[in-house]
Amino acid sequence: MLYTEVLNKNKDFLNLYRRGRSIVSRTVVIYFRKNGLPCNRFGITAGKKVGNAVMRNRAKRIIRQAYRENELLFPLGIDIVFVARRQAAEVKEDKLSEYLRKYAVEEINAYLASSEETKI
């Protein structure tokens, strides 16, 4: 991934869950927050409710690929965590990619633009 580092530390995940904004869909919940760095940080979680190990790994592969296809559309300097839901293992890659392109990126950009306006 070109402008993205992997989010590994548990405290970063917990901080994002507590203080970040969220976007909810049938397949994923997306948490995001500004990080003040010149790159994005990206993480994926898939709990046992998603299914067995095969389904959890499939969901993570689909999410990772959809993010990779739309990485250039996301603004720089944010932390993003995707939490897989049950539907994530069953959805086609192009559907999730389309959702990210049409809705998630727009909502993240709109929120970050509105937060910039309130600071001025």
Side-chain angles (χ1 to χ4, degrees), residues 5-119:
E5 295 177 0
V6 177
L7 199 61
N8 283 333
K9 296 186 179 172
N10 190 36
K11 76 173 189 176
D12 293 332
F13 279 87
L14 294 176
N15 190 21
L16 200 54
Y17 294 147
R18 287 188 194 118
R19 296 195 177 117
R21 298 267 307 166
S22 64
I23 303 170
V24 180
S25 75
R26 291 179 65 190
T27 55
V28 292
V29 178
I30 304 170
Y31 293 93
F32 64 94
R33 183 172 188 229
K34 283 183 139 182
N35 63 14
L37 299 173
C39 63
N40 291 342
R41 296 191 303 172
F42 170 73
I44 303 173
T45 61
K48 285 194 171 188
K49 288 184 179 182
V50 174
N52 61 12
V54 174
M55 293 183 76
R56 290 194 301 271
N57 287 330
R58 176 171 164 67
K60 290 191 280 187
R61 276 197 316 268
I62 290 170
I63 292 169
R64 197 174 295 116
Q65 181 61 32
Y67 177 78
R68 199 176 288 132
E69 289 173 1
N70 296 297
E71 179 182 14
L72 297 176
L73 301 176
F74 284 94
L76 286 177
I78 59 173
D79 289 343
I80 307 168
V81 171
F82 288 81
V83 179
R85 297 177 119 183
R86 263 183 210 184
Q87 299 288 328
E90 299 165 3
V91 73
K92 300 283 185 184
E93 289 178 21
D94 57 340
K95 294 287 183 185
L96 186 59
S97 181
E98 183 180 339
Y99 171 77
L100 287 180
R101 189 177 322 109
K102 286 186 176 179
Y103 302 106
V105 171
E106 286 182 15
E107 194 165 333
I108 290 171
N109 284 328
Y111 175 74
L112 293 177
S114 69
S115 67
E116 290 294 322
E117 289 175 5
T118 58
K119 287 183 180 179

